[in-house]
Amino acid sequence: MLAMSETPTAPARPRILSGMQPTSDSLHIGNFIGALNNWVPLQDEFDAYYFVADLHALTVPTDPEVIRRRSRITAAQFIAAGIDPERSAVFCQSHVQEHPELMWILACQTAFGEMGRMTQFKDKTAKGQNANVGLFIYPILMAADILMYDAAYVPVGEDQRQHLEITRDLAVRVNQRFGENTLVVPEPYILKESAKIQDLQDPSMKMSKTNSTPKGLLELMDEPGKLTKKIKSAVTDTDGEIRYDPENKPGVSNLLVIHSALSGTKIADLERRFVGEGYGALKGEVADVVTSTFTPFRERMNELLADPAELDRTLAKGADRAREIAVVTMDRVRNAVGLLPVTGL
């Protein structure tokens, strides 16, 4: 989820907001290319807010100590990838208590049938995920995340379009009932499709923390030798020609995409360079590109995780910055819906 904002009292720069769930001990290369690698340059142009979506993670039964560990890991991965906490607010969703408060107000404006039609809930429960109420109203918390920061534009992929639609519907509904300036109605900004990274062992399937086998998944915290071994055992084909053809040569095409996304070399240039070369040459160079990218990342991660107290202070500082906006939004919303203001004793 990524949101660009122009608030009613617009900041000097447009605002962006994005979050990621702490559901793993390591992100994989698809997460890096599809999200983190795009977040870093946005800091130069926007007022950036990046949060660990730990409340969203509670929809899946997880040991409390695991959630705590993974929340720090996720924040550390943001910073190791290049998010600068001096320029961007890095914080935990649960540390900004206005998020669930706004969710409750929005939930009271949401029909039961609207949530029942959300495709992600149906898809996840069909696959056996725990059908708790939190998972059912997950899109309302996502709407609160966006609306809390007065997002005017929300860049989304096609898979998130339905969540944006319910966010817009809720903002319009609240404004119609309580006043047109209560919430900013976000507009969609469809993201240009980013490189999709496929499973190394089954290149017909997207690389995924939940569906990929260990051999098919390139995790950012893997040691260089492990990354190299996985890449060199990647499934290709038997014709020996290195060219981009996702339909007929998905394995080779996937390796070319990984190389291009990390090295910045156009796929057409890679095809020309590898004319007459075998798959071993391609795999070896992809392994070099991947390990050279993620070795400094892993080293920085280990530094951050070695000092959890300092990491926690960084998250607290980011939450303070986020709450400066959230408090203003919630004062406006509370007043609009008729809640009494808190007065001093």
Side-chain angles (χ1 to χ4, degrees), residues 162-306:
Q162 191 181 41
H163 284 155
L164 177 59
E165 288 173 356
I166 191 67
T167 300
R168 285 173 49 81
D169 289 346
L170 287 171
V172 168
R173 195 172 305 158
V174 166
N175 289 347
Q176 287 175 340
R177 180 172 178 185
F178 300 111
E180 61 178 349
N181 294 320
T182 305
L183 294 169
V184 173
V185 181
E187 295 291 336
Y189 181 92
I190 303 303
L191 284 170
K192 191 166 150 189
E193 193 169 336
S194 60
K196 285 190 173 100
I197 308 303
Q198 304 299 103
D199 186 289
L200 293 179
Q201 293 298 310
D202 182 1
S204 67
M205 178 178 71
K206 185 179 177 182
M207 190 178 287
S208 163
K209 290 180 288 188
T210 54
N211 297 323
S212 293
T213 63
K215 287 184 178 181
L217 188 67
L218 292 175
E219 295 190 310
L220 273 56
M221 291 301 287
D222 282 344
E223 294 289 335
K226 192 172 184 180
L227 290 169
T228 298
K229 185 176 180 180
K230 289 181 181 181
I231 291 166
K232 290 193 172 180
S233 65
V235 169
T236 50
D237 51 54
T238 58
D239 76 7
E241 184 182 0
I242 298 175
R243 73 175 190 276
Y244 183 72
D245 183 352
E247 184 175 347
N248 298 305
K249 299 174 70 65
V252 172
S253 299
N254 190 39
L255 292 172
L256 288 169
V257 167
I258 291 171
H259 191 316
S260 177
L262 295 180
S263 69
T265 307
K266 293 180 180 179
I267 288 178
D269 291 338
L270 291 173
E271 288 177 313
R272 284 190 289 272
R273 199 163 87 220
F274 282 105
V275 168
E277 299 281 354
Y279 293 158
L282 173 62
K283 289 180 177 181
E285 193 164 310
V286 171
D288 289 343
V289 170
V290 169
T291 56
S292 64
T293 300
F294 295 128
T295 294
F297 172 91
R298 191 179 63 259
E299 291 172 351
R300 178 63 174 138
M301 273 282 297
N302 289 333
E303 286 177 12
L304 292 162
L305 294 173

Side-chain angles (χ1 to χ4, degrees), residues 117-131:
R117 291 190 292 273
M118 298 301 289
T119 56
Q120 285 202 16
F121 175 79
K122 292 188 283 190
D123 291 345
K124 288 179 179 180
T125 52
K127 292 176 182 176
Q129 186 167 333
N130 184 36

Side-chain angles (χ1 to χ4, degrees), residues 74-95:
T74 302
Q77 288 179 134
F78 291 177
I79 298 168
I83 301 301
D84 181 358
E86 293 300 318
R87 292 192 293 157
S88 305
V90 178
F91 62 100
C92 283
Q93 181 187 29
S94 64
H95 292 175

